[in-house]
Amino acid sequence: MARIAYVNGEYVPLDEAKISILDRGFIFADSIYEVTAVIDGGLIDSDLHMARLERSLGEIGMPMPVPASEIVAIERVLMEKNGLTNGMIYLQVTRGAVERDFPFPARDTPQSLVMFTVEKDLANDPVAETGIRVKSVPDLRWARRDIKSTALLAQVLAKQAARAEGCGEAWMLEGDTVTEGGSSTAYIVTADKRLITRPLSQKVLPGCTRAALLALIAEGGATLEERPFTLDEAKQASEAFITGAGALVMPVVGIDDVTLGDGKPGPVTRRLRTLYIEQARRQAAEQAGG
Amino acid sequence: MARIAYVNGEYVPLDEAKISILDRGFIFADSIYEVTAVIDGGLIDSDLHMARLERSLGEIGMPMPVPASEIVAIERVLMEKNGLTNGMIYLQVTRGAVERDFPFPARDTPQSLVMFTVEKDLANDPVAETGIRVKSVPDLRWARRDIKSTALLAQVLAKQAARAEGCGEAWMLEGDTVTEGGSSTAYIVTADKRLITRPLSQKVLPGCTRAALLALIAEGGATLEERPFTLDEAKQASEAFITGAGALVMPVVGIDDVTLGDGKPGPVTRRLRTLYIEQARRQAAEQAGG
């Protein structure tokens, strides 16, 4: 069965899903995206993704193309049309297709809204059993990493450099400190079991999975220190992991040429992954019952 | 007559010119572009643009999609199909359309090559008679501004901020110094007639019009100081201007709330604009005779 995508009001086979070469998403990266996990037929952390989408758009002077409820309705249709119960939904909103000119076009220019699905059993990803290694690279990105724009070339280069050395993610460095992963939030667990991740600012993306996990950690009575950590500190950690819509909670077992602990996913990370997947399944059950 | 664009081997009406929503140019800004001026039927500084295209592609690990001579041949076909004798040709090369994944796809993934034309009498642009004002804004861009990528959101925001205040260009600031314009190179002329522009580095795009103008300046026996200049220095300049494929040499008559000189294009700038257009017309004549 051909995968069905959504392009500006139409449901079309993915291989026929096209946008104008004048689209500002193509020509200027003048667009915002979101990736939402689907687990057991549930849209995971959907409210967080819709809120972040609206915030990112607002930061670059764009409204929501349609209300969040309508976006979620389209996601549901895509899930049904594609028989998707486990995977991801990608969505991208652009400032529309119009004669090429850097400043914003007329306010009545129709925005573009594009979505497609990816099938993947995220909760049973075999990679989580062994964990990934990460490679440190300089953070070359622009000053507004809090905006989830499609101007992702720096991240492409960072993640390619990581892949080239057999690593599953890049950790980007500003000076000595880790900002975040190429497409994920970075965490370490110290020898005395303190959990550390960088605080939110314009230097990092406000992760939706991060927000959901922090709520779970707080519920469990544990604490997380929000502060920058250095690459050296990370290499001395007993555990490390990343979070993201596709990664969920993914163990990191090595950084550059250093192996963490015994080179296997650590107990804190495994526990957090389990907790996160359990609450995702509760979300799915609530959505099915609702 | 509908404008004709070029998309991956096909000549199609511009309003039917489309690319896949999976194209990495759309999803990751994983693409490089060039804009070449057309004056009197000539492709201006074409060799410089082709060399820069190849360099930018190489910096992000992409080859030329077809040899430079073939790109120029396509440009000529587009000029003929569109009856274009004055304007610009836009071209964009991407890493192709493939399942979304940040690292580079398989080497045999076909790149995308897209081109379209814009009609404009650049050499007789009435804006050059009065000049433009520029607005200073913080330079939010990534660390590799020497790569002409389509990750242009920072430039979109900069040029929108300028337009909102009636300015024709944004001058981007790193600390006190001007890096460059949103889509142009920045120059000042001091009271004692010294011409100043920032030296090439990863902080600025290596302008093709800049290179051509510098050669003309050297031929004329004048000298240009390549060094960073501050916003304050620029505000005290007797003249200022920008260069770019669309702007050619465009007078700047005001910076923020400061008017330069008598608020009209200065003699050095007008002379350089004339010299640049004369050599462009010589290029056009040579191409017509060749």
Side-chain angles (χ1 to χ4, degrees), chain B residues 175-227:
Chain B
D176 295 332
T177 66
V178 175
T179 50
E180 59 188 332
S183 60
S184 61
T185 306
Y187 305 75
I188 58 172
V189 182
T190 63
D192 56 345
K193 303 290 180 203
R194 286 176 297 129
L195 248 144
I196 301 167
T197 194
R198 193 171 181 117
L200 297 184
S201 71
Q202 292 188 351
K203 291 195 176 294
V204 295
L205 187 78
C208 292
T209 310
R210 176 190 189 279
L213 187 70
L214 262 57
L216 286 174
I217 290 169
E219 276 174 33
T223 57
L224 181 133
E225 284 178 38
E226 292 184 73
R227 64 167 174 84

Side-chain angles (χ1 to χ4, degrees), chain A residues 131-134 171 239-242 250-255 260 269:
Chain A
I132 60 167
R133 301 187 67 89
V134 300
W171 274 14
E239 299 182 34
F241 62 92
I242 58 171
M250 179 62 69
V252 169
V253 296
I255 302 172
L260 300 184
T269 303

Side-chain angles (χ1 to χ4, degrees), chain A residues 3 19 99 104 140 142 160, chain B residues 3 99 104 140 142 160:
Chain A
R3 229 184 314 167
I19 52 129
E99 194 68 32
F104 300 171
L140 302 180
W142 74 322
Q160 170 61 22
Chain B
R3 230 184 312 167
E99 195 69 33
F104 301 171
L140 303 181
W142 74 324
Q160 169 62 22

Side-chain angles (χ1 to χ4, degrees), chain B:
Chain B
M1 186 182 76
R3 230 184 312 167
I4 302 296
Y6 173 92
V7 182
N8 294 329
E10 310 270 348
Y11 293 91
V12 291
L14 182 56
D15 57 8
E16 297 167 22
K18 297 185 175 182
I19 52 128
S20 168
I21 63 169
L22 292 180
D23 194 282
R24 292 175 61 96
F26 183 62
I27 283 186
F28 292 127
D30 190 11
S31 64
I32 300 294
Y33 77 108
E34 283 291 337
V35 178
T36 304
V38 175
I39 294 178
D40 288 1
L43 281 162
I44 308 307
D45 301 331
S46 179
D47 292 350
L48 294 173
H49 287 286
M50 289 304 113
R52 186 172 65 181
L53 173 64
E54 185 162 8
R55 179 189 177 277
S56 290
L57 288 167
E59 290 296 306
I60 65 167
M62 266 199 267
M64 290 282 272
V66 295
S69 59
E70 194 169 325
I71 291 178
V72 173
I74 297 165
E75 289 178 330
R76 293 265 170 219
V77 172
L78 277 180
M79 286 164 64
E80 189 176 329
K81 284 186 184 291
N82 291 292
L84 186 81
T85 51
N86 286 285
M88 291 171 280
I89 300 187
Y90 176 90
L91 79 85
Q92 184 171 340
V93 178
T94 87
R95 215 180 302 267
V98 63
E99 195 69 33
R100 183 178 184 274
D101 189 22
F102 282 81
F104 301 171
R107 281 193 178 274
D108 60 356
T109 304
Q111 290 169 275
S112 295
L113 173 59
V114 161
M115 294 190 219
F116 62 86
T117 60
V118 176
E119 200 167 323
K120 186 172 182 185
D121 191 354
L122 301 174
N124 296 302
D125 188 345
V127 175
E129 300 302 314
T130 50
I132 60 167
R133 301 187 68 87
V134 299
K135 176 179 162 59
S136 65
V137 298
D139 195 332
L140 303 181
R141 296 175 299 163
W142 74 324
R144 293 300 307 275
R145 295 91 174 249
D146 58 315
I147 298 171
K148 198 169 173 71
S149 89
T150 57
L152 291 166
L153 182 52
Q155 288 92 319
V156 164
L157 298 177
K159 290 178 75 95
Q160 169 62 22
R163 163 100 40 109
E165 297 194 7
C167 293
E169 178 59 297
W171 273 13
M172 296 183 284
L173 297 177
E174 226 172 43
D176 295 332
T177 66
V178 175
T179 50
E180 59 188 332
S183 60
S184 61
T185 306
Y187 305 75
I188 58 172
V189 182
T190 63
D192 56 345
K193 303 290 180 203
R194 286 176 297 129
L195 248 144
I196 301 167
T197 194
R198 193 171 181 117
L200 297 184
S201 71
Q202 292 188 351
K203 291 195 176 294
V204 295
L205 187 78
C208 292
T209 310
R210 176 190 189 279
L213 187 70
L214 262 57
L216 286 174
I217 290 169
E219 276 174 33
T223 57
L224 181 133
E225 284 178 38
E226 292 184 73
R227 64 167 174 84
F229 58 87
T230 66
L231 181 63
D232 280 348
E233 197 176 0
K235 287 180 175 175
Q236 289 160 25
S238 63
E239 299 182 34
F241 62 92
I242 59 171
T243 62
L248 307 181
V249 176
M250 179 62 69
V252 169
V253 296
I255 302 171
D256 294 335
D257 50 359
V258 170
T259 296
L260 301 183
D262 62 359
K264 291 177 185 158
V268 174
T269 303
R270 281 188 282 118
R271 176 76 187 136
L272 290 175
R273 182 173 173 89
T274 300
L275 281 175
Y276 182 80
I277 291 171
E278 283 173 359
Q279 70 81 35
R281 288 189 163 131
R282 283 196 299 275
Q283 287 185 48
E286 279 165 28
Q287 288 170 31

